[in-house]
Amino acid sequence: MSLVSERRTVVARRRRARGFEHNQLGVTFYRSGALDLAIERFELATRRAPWVSSYWLNLGVAFLDKGILGKAEAAIKRALELDNKSQSAYFHLAKLHEKREDEAAAREAYEKAIELDPRTHLAQRARERLEEWHPRLLGMPNSGERS
């Protein structure tokens, strides 16, 4: 391996490690309710290691909780570009569509989350959200309607 290759490898490892550190701090801030600080750290993590889908998802979830839906959508979709089998990303994308009251998109994302692995806790939560949010998403009449 050449000296240049070795240096690039070392730099990449450092960036990855710093990305991990920023993400971990972001998770700590997120769990304590400090969303602005969490977002700062998640943004740093995505800059240091832009290929890590979970960093983008964490950023998207923090934006979603903060109510910044445009940035939340962009980050979650980036996570899905990097890992199109992320059940959690589809679940949170559905929650975003729910906030926008886009029933068709919410249903599609929840169904995709369920399809990826119907036995998980997230799949169960997706089924519950479909039932709670709007019964018509499941093709059922609203509880206040008469048949």
Side-chain angles (χ1 to χ4, degrees):
M1 184 181 280
S2 74
L3 188 58
V4 172
S5 295
E6 286 180 33
R7 179 159 166 56
R8 285 184 184 151
T9 301
V10 169
V11 169
R13 284 185 186 144
R14 284 184 186 152
R15 287 187 73 188
R16 187 178 314 125
R18 287 189 188 122
F20 177 80
E21 291 166 5
H22 288 301
N23 185 68
Q24 289 304 107
L25 279 169
V27 169
T28 300
F29 287 134
Y30 179 86
R31 287 181 178 158
S32 71
L35 293 179
D36 290 328
L37 293 173
I39 288 169
E40 282 179 31
R41 290 302 170 159
F42 292 143
E43 286 177 327
L44 287 169
T46 59
R47 276 189 234 131
R48 293 288 185 184
W51 60 87
V52 180
S53 65
S54 62
Y55 299 172
W56 288 100
L57 179 57
N58 288 345
L59 178 61
V61 170
F63 277 132
L64 182 61
D65 287 355
K66 187 94 169 133
I68 305 171
L69 302 185
K71 288 185 175 186
E73 182 175 27
I76 293 169
K77 285 186 173 181
R78 181 67 182 132
L80 284 167
E81 287 172 10
L82 294 166
D83 178 8
N84 67 356
K85 299 206 182 302
S86 172
Q87 188 177 45
S88 184
Y90 281 107
F91 181 83
H92 286 93
L93 183 62
K95 286 177 65 175
L96 180 140
H97 291 309
E98 244 188 277
K99 283 188 176 199
R100 289 183 169 161
E101 298 185 2
D102 185 342
E103 295 175 15
R107 178 180 180 156
E108 183 180 334
Y110 279 132
E111 287 175 346
K112 182 66 177 178
I114 294 166
E115 174 189 315
L116 285 168
D117 190 346
R119 299 163 295 164
T120 66
H121 177 68
L122 263 184
Q124 179 58 36
R125 286 180 57 199
R127 282 188 287 276
E128 290 167 3
R129 292 305 303 149
L130 285 170
E131 292 168 4
E132 288 174 20
W133 189 50
H134 284 298
R136 68 180 173 267
L137 288 176
L138 292 172
M140 301 166 23
N142 286 336
S143 56
E145 294 178 1
R146 292 195 172 160
S147 13

